[in-house]
Amino acid sequence: MDIGVVFQLDPPARRVVELSQRAEAAGFSHVWSFDSHLLWQEPYVIYSAILAATEKVIVGPMVTNPGTRDVTVTASTFATLNEMYGNRTICGIGRGDSARRTLGLPPVDIAHLREAVGVIRALANGREATHRGIEMQLPWVKESALEVWVAAYGPKAIKVTGEVGDGFILQLADLDITEWMIRHVRRAAEQAGRDPAAVKICVAAPAYVGDDLAHQRDQVRWFGGMVGNHIADIVARYGDHGAVPHALAEYIKGRQGYDYAEHGRADNAHTAFVTDDIVDRFCVLGPAQAHIEKLTRLKELGVDQFAVYLQHDDMDHTLAAYGDTIIPAIKALG
């Protein structure tokens, strides 16, 4: 199982580049970032600097969307980075949450997401695509190779992921929910005539290595609020029976709104409904051995990558602990 890391793009950008270099040296396979241009710095500018300063890590957004970024520009950007640095990019994509809502816009619809996956992948890999009724191609693309992984929670997005995605991004690390989601993604892939095993599985969640669980929980409680914001939309649309696992629908009952100015922040004030139990289930906390044990169980469920959300007050220690202890232990599992 690969281990990636996810950064918010707070200034200074050079700090993110430095952390990416350290992540590569520690054995992380992927460097991901948020993509929400009103809240953080511009990812694709920073990706170029990361790729120039590293040699092996795969770089991309977790996640972009086809509403704030034109899909043809996105494809061209990835293909350009691949030409410059050698096929070391990946495109995580979803319907758009903070990037859209901070503009006063809703997430894009499922049809738009489905089309975007196909267009971005085709163009960035040098093939023809039909977009807005026009056949198009990037004639200069010769050797670019790009995978497009879809972030999803709801039933329609999960179905699209299985039908057209190269990978599935699940932003939480609850074992039971992960198993439920993987089963539904693979079922959708099989029903679409695809090899279910061909859809790669990425679980992304905050990880904090240490012994003070109470402090760790407070530092990552924001994540339960972020996930709850996605789930609230799904429950509002489909109800709380069957569209998502019961545990997801149940925990948001005490939710009371959300402020995107605090999105992804440890001091987020809209997380009182997120219990310690939910934090423990959604995140990976405790000493290094606890991380090894949970990641081992995720691997056994079929997870191909665990991506560490590194947004808390002890980023450096957690990064080092993964490099020194956790990544070697996971790699030893084969």
Side-chain angles (χ1 to χ4, degrees):
M1 182 168 69
D2 288 333
I3 307 293
V5 63
V6 187
F7 296 122
Q8 288 176 347
L9 300 182
D10 292 310
R14 63 179 177 275
R15 164 73 168 160
V16 178
V17 176
E18 291 167 358
L19 285 169
S20 299
Q21 290 177 302
R22 290 172 54 191
E24 179 175 76
F28 285 81
S29 60
H30 290 66
V31 171
W32 303 86
S33 83
F34 287 34
D35 178 7
S36 191
H37 60 286
L38 290 185
L39 298 178
W40 295 287
Q41 291 184 308
E42 174 57 34
Y44 294 101
V45 176
I46 299 173
Y47 293 164
S48 192
I50 292 171
L51 288 163
T54 56
E55 297 180 358
K56 297 182 295 184
V57 288
I58 306 299
V59 178
M62 187 179 285
V63 294
T64 192
N65 75 88
T68 57
R69 298 189 184 276
D70 182 90
V71 292
T72 62
V73 177
T74 296
S76 181
T77 300
F78 279 113
T80 301
L81 291 172
N82 282 342
E83 189 279 325
M84 292 174 67
Y85 301 108
N87 294 334
R88 292 173 51 207
T89 66
I90 189 168
C91 179
I93 193 168
R95 296 176 57 214
D97 181 46
S98 61
R100 295 276 294 172
R101 295 188 194 275
T102 51
L103 296 172
L105 300 170
V108 302
D109 61 35
I110 294 297
H112 196 174
L113 175 62
R114 176 191 293 274
E115 182 195 24
V117 172
V119 172
I120 291 170
R121 182 169 52 212
L123 294 179
N125 286 281
R127 301 193 297 270
E128 289 186 354
T130 301
H131 180 52
R132 296 174 180 162
I134 300 172
E135 292 187 4
M136 57 187 67
Q137 189 172 10
L138 301 176
W140 51 269
V141 176
K142 304 301 181 185
E143 298 180 359
S144 174
L146 178 74
E147 291 187 351
V148 182
W149 294 16
V150 183
Y153 293 108
K156 290 184 179 179
I158 288 172
K159 187 172 184 291
V160 165
T161 302
E163 291 173 347
V164 302
D166 294 307
F168 167 50
I169 297 172
L170 174 61
Q171 291 162 305
L172 56 80
D174 179 278
L175 296 170
D176 293 336
I177 294 171
T178 296
E179 183 177 23
W180 190 97
M181 293 287 191
I182 292 174
R183 184 168 67 252
H184 282 72
V185 167
R186 288 181 170 163
R187 180 183 301 164
E190 185 173 18
Q191 291 174 345
R194 303 180 69 196
D195 176 4
V199 182
K200 297 175 184 175
I201 308 295
C202 175
V203 163
Y208 193 140
V209 179
D211 296 317
D212 189 345
L213 273 176
H215 178 72
Q216 291 178 18
R217 287 167 179 151
D218 286 343
Q219 282 287 303
V220 301
R221 202 175 303 273
W222 63 267
F223 185 70
M226 184 185 81
V227 173
N229 200 52
H230 292 289
I231 302 307
D233 279 351
I234 297 168
V235 171
R237 178 181 292 266
Y238 300 104
D240 59 0
H241 299 288
V244 295
H246 176 72
L248 280 180
E250 185 68 20
Y251 98 95
I252 65 165
K253 288 184 176 179
R255 178 182 176 274
Q256 297 179 344
Y258 193 78
D259 184 355
Y260 279 92
E262 300 176 340
H263 188 62
R265 305 294 184 187
D267 57 355
N268 191 316
H270 296 78
T271 59
F273 72 97
V274 183
T275 66
D276 287 350
D277 177 63
I278 287 295
V279 175
D280 292 346
R281 288 166 57 185
F282 283 14
C283 305
V284 185
L285 308 176
Q289 186 59 37
H291 290 245
I292 293 168
E293 291 171 3
K294 188 163 187 177
L295 298 190
T296 298
R297 294 187 67 186
L298 288 170
K299 184 178 187 298
E300 290 169 351
L301 292 176
V303 174
D304 298 293
Q305 179 182 160
F306 175 66
V308 175
Y309 272 105
L310 202 60
Q311 288 87 45
H312 52 65
D313 64 357
D314 201 11
M315 297 167 61
D316 295 296
H317 175 255
T318 293
L319 195 69
Y322 264 74
D324 293 341
T325 305
I326 298 166
I327 291 176
I330 298 303
K331 294 296 183 186
L333 297 174

